[in-house]
Amino acid sequence: MFKSEYVKKVYDNLVAKNPNELEFQQAALEILESLEPLVLARPEIQKNKILERFVEPERFVQFRVAWVDDNGEVQVNRGYRVQYNSSIGPYKGGLRFHPTVNASIIKFLGLEQVLKNSLTSLPMGGGKGGSDFDPKGKSDREIMAFCQAFMTELYRHIGPDTDVPAGDIGVGGREIGYLYGQYRRIKNENVGVLTGKGLTYGGSLVRTEATGYGLCYFTLEALKVMKNESFKAKKVVISGSGNVAIYACEKATSLGAKVVAMSDSNGYIYDEDGINLAVVKEIKEVRRGRIKEYLNYVTKAKYVEGPQNIWAIKCDIALPCATQNELDLEAAKMLVKNGVIAVCEGANMPSTLEAAKYFISSGIIYGPAKAANAGGVATSGLEMSQNSARLSWSFAEVDAKLKDIMVNIFHNAYNMAKKLGNPYDLLAGANIAGFEKVCNAMLALGVY
Ligand code: NDP
């Protein structure tokens, strides 16, 4: 597994200190394995214990969130914020509201975020947060009550130059609005302390679309450079039907592809004529319903119970945009056998480590999450710039910047992968390209 005794020791120590945190261990293993060539080439990393410091969050906050539901009953949830690494800028990373959220999930997302933010080339450190609160089935008033209670604790840990959270699973424009409303009530400040804000109160155009659009810009550049291909006439399968999936579908379609399947945690829909995105938006964005309801609008589409088998559909391009570990080795083998040419990740760590390694060894394009889905946080960085300057850029301006950033991220990861000897290993390329900047900043800042 490891060639370097030093890297192995760092990993073994992390496992011993964080037992039962499987997602965190998985993310750390994936990153540490691929950093080995750099560690062997640069002895100052070991000498200054950079890896030990890199995997240990600067700060981890856990707190109680008590709120009152519509029946007048008190509910208690657990809130988290990990402030992982601030060597290149203020902590930055989303908030996830989902019943599966725990310390392991938050730390894996935080660690990934450090490298992702570095790859954007913007000055942003890494953080992540959230709660085990389940927004599903809650009334609008309950969502507001929860968000207000959550921010009543979180506000003391964040700030426009300290830590700037955004959305993630279960946290979209509505939740960011309630969170920001409460921050302003407490602090009496109109500042860029959250991103993903509404356009009427400091948000940026393109932020809603950014992760999905950015994923397609990254994929398009990879297709062009690595396979002399494009999205034109390609059959695409997208998992999920949330923020990332919807805007990935929109951009892929506008680039000439046909998206034939999308899913939610209950199952997937297959529409051989191409997904009607207006219907998906109506179901998911307006009514907050289930993907199965697509059949009420498009009667000849098919619905299959259980989301996992979506990867059995024959396609040219697969864009996993739902959640972690949704694509295992078996699914990876099926995709490759069916002739997929590109698998690019909109979700965070959607492929298991075995699946990722299989893609890399198969000679297909594998776009790892921290590179391929960095468009969301990159546009959040652009929102921060606009907030600081008290300016609003046009849609075209932000979109052009997003495109540049994604093309640049691809080339950084690809050039590093080529330098390492395997142009298909964009995972190692992205990890090392992202890590180098953080490492150099940590060395320059001295021990902290
Ligand atoms: P949303 O909450 O908007 O949507 C998540 C979607 O995934 C929902 O449709 C959900 O369905 C579905 N889903 C959850 N679990 C499964 C499953 N096991 N199989 C199939 N579908 C499932 O979240 P986002 O779109 O914002 O986030 C999706 C992923 O993208 C996450 O991994 C997130 O960390 C990552 N990401 C998001 C960014 C952003 O800007 N929003 C930025 C970078 C990464 P259901 O309604 O049934 O739960």
Side-chain angles (χ1 to χ4, degrees), residues 9-44:
K9 211 171 105 199
V10 172
Y11 178 69
D12 288 346
N13 195 32
L14 178 140
V15 171
K17 274 189 171 173
N18 303 276
N20 309 319
E21 297 194 357
L22 300 184
E23 297 84 358
F24 180 44
Q25 294 173 11
Q26 179 184 341
L29 176 63
E30 175 233 281
I31 291 170
L32 289 172
E33 267 187 351
S34 60
L35 294 182
E36 279 195 308
L38 188 74
V39 173
L40 292 169
R42 292 184 59 180
E44 70 271 30

Side-chain angles (χ1 to χ4, degrees), residues 4 6-7 34-46 416 419-420 432 435-436 439:
S4 148
Y6 166 56
V7 182
S34 60
L35 294 182
E36 279 195 308
L38 188 74
V39 173
L40 292 169
R42 292 184 59 180
E44 70 271 30
I45 293 177
Q46 179 169 0
M416 184 59 78
K419 209 164 126 186
L420 293 165
I432 294 191
F435 178 76
E436 266 198 314
C439 168

Side-chain angles (χ1 to χ4, degrees), residues 250-266:
E250 185 166 289
K251 185 50 76 177
T253 307
S254 81
L255 291 168
K258 183 157 84 172
V259 178
V260 292
M262 290 179 85
S263 60
D264 63 19
S265 55
N266 294 119

